Amino acid sequence: HAPATSLVAGACFEVGGVLISRLRGDSALFALPPKRQRHSAGRPKRRGRRLATPKAMAQCPRGWRTLYVTLGGKKVRRRIKSRLCLWWHVAKEHPIKVVIVKNPSGKGRDDYLFATDATLSEKQIIEQYAARWPVEEAIHDAKQHDGFEQTMGWCEHTVLRQAPMALFKQTLVKAWYLANAAALERRPEAMPPQPWQSPKDHPSYRDMLAALRL
């Protein structure tokens, strides 16, 4: 995970993109370089002092504040602290914003997030990172049910056709289900519940496929 994140972060700086991702708890972070004094000799410093690791920052009781963010469609309360710093071995002198997120209830682990765009707010970083989950679910469903990774071709055109077609088919199935959901609810036989399934408040993509096939 760390080498891949480092590689993508470096590429984002080169092409002017923005990356929001997780940071390792033992990452080596540095303060921004101090302001150069007038008439000082020598080469100006490119980075400041070594900072505590994200994990150590999370253990410090000072600097926390409360923020309300929308995660999974619900407004929740989180404790956060953030800092502008340098991730030297990845981004060199380009500053990143590190956000440490803690659940006040004590449930779950602390999150160490970062954004290569230091102008983003903490709320934007947390919500945009959480918004990746529906994308991952869509890709997972495409692999499991739509042949996303079953292509046997090696040429470039085959690869470029197969993945978009799998995702396009998933879009068509969901659009069909939305258009017919009201009618399907009046027909229990269209989506028979299985004995081992717990009650659902919304259908899965597999349920939509089953209803379409029936």
Side-chain angles (χ1 to χ4, degrees), residues 18-36:
V18 177
L19 173 65
I20 299 175
S21 187
R22 268 200 178 106
L23 197 65
R24 282 178 49 129
D26 58 354
S27 297
L29 304 176
F30 294 85
L32 300 180
K35 187 176 181 180
R36 182 177 175 84

Side-chain angles (χ1 to χ4, degrees), residues 79-112:
R79 298 283 290 169
I80 69 159
K81 64 168 63 175
S82 63
R83 175 152 193 172
L84 290 179
C85 56
L86 300 180
W87 190 11
W88 185 257
H89 77 282
V90 173
K92 297 303 180 185
E93 65 272 5
H94 298 280
I96 65 171
K97 176 174 276 189
V98 173
V99 182
I100 301 174
V101 187
K102 186 185 294 287
N103 190 337
S105 67
K107 297 180 180 179
R109 63 179 182 180
D110 297 339
D111 267 331
Y112 316 123

Side-chain angles (χ1 to χ4, degrees), residues 20 65 67-71 74-76 80 82 97 99 101 113 120-130:
I20 299 175
R65 58 191 180 91
L67 184 69
Y68 287 89
V69 295
T70 302
L71 303 178
K74 299 180 180 179
K75 191 174 184 180
V76 297
I80 69 159
S82 63
K97 176 174 276 189
V99 182
V101 187
L113 308 180
L120 293 177
S121 66
E122 292 86 352
K123 180 179 174 68
Q124 288 176 311
I125 293 173
I126 297 172
E127 292 182 345
Q128 290 184 25
Y129 178 76

Side-chain angles (χ1 to χ4, degrees), residues 10-205:
C12 281
F13 283 113
E14 292 180 5
V15 302
V18 177
L19 173 65
I20 299 175
S21 187
R22 268 200 178 106
L23 197 65
R24 282 178 49 129
D26 58 354
S27 297
L29 304 176
F30 294 85
L32 300 180
K35 187 176 181 180
R36 182 177 175 84
Q37 301 295 326
R38 294 185 62 185
H39 309 299
S40 58
R43 182 180 179 182
K45 292 185 177 180
R46 299 178 63 191
R47 64 183 180 185
R49 62 182 176 85
R50 173 76 179 265
L51 300 176
T53 63
K55 186 176 181 179
M57 292 183 189
Q59 295 171 349
C60 179
R62 299 188 302 272
W64 293 96
R65 58 191 180 91
T66 300
L67 184 69
Y68 287 89
V69 295
T70 302
L71 303 178
K74 299 180 180 179
K75 191 174 184 180
V76 297
R77 183 168 62 96
R78 291 291 183 264
R79 298 283 290 169
I80 69 159
K81 64 168 63 175
S82 63
R83 175 152 193 172
L84 290 179
C85 56
L86 300 180
W87 190 11
W88 185 257
H89 77 282
V90 173
K92 297 303 180 185
E93 65 272 5
H94 298 280
I96 65 171
K97 176 174 276 189
V98 173
V99 182
I100 301 174
V101 187
K102 186 185 294 287
N103 190 337
S105 67
K107 297 180 180 179
R109 63 179 182 180
D110 297 339
D111 267 331
Y112 316 123
L113 308 180
F114 77 92
T116 56
D117 184 355
T119 64
L120 293 177
S121 66
E122 292 86 352
K123 180 179 174 68
Q124 288 176 311
I125 293 173
I126 297 172
E127 292 182 345
Q128 290 184 25
Y129 178 76
R132 87 200 187 285
W133 186 247
V135 178
E136 293 185 3
E137 281 189 325
I139 294 175
H140 173 270
D141 289 338
K143 288 180 177 179
Q144 294 295 318
H145 307 295
D146 295 326
F148 185 87
E149 57 182 3
Q150 293 177 2
T151 176
M152 302 299 291
W154 289 87
C155 70
E156 180 181 1
H157 291 295
T158 301
V159 176
L160 292 178
R161 284 193 297 261
Q162 178 70 16
M165 182 55 65
L167 294 174
F168 180 62
K169 184 173 76 172
Q170 184 179 146
T171 302
L172 290 178
V173 172
K174 292 179 178 179
W176 172 87
Y177 186 85
L178 288 174
N180 296 275
L184 291 171
E185 290 176 357
R186 295 192 294 268
R187 294 174 54 206
E189 71 278 4
M191 291 180 58
Q194 301 300 326
W196 60 84
Q197 289 180 336
S198 58
K200 297 181 179 180
D201 58 359
H202 64 277
S204 66
Y205 179 62

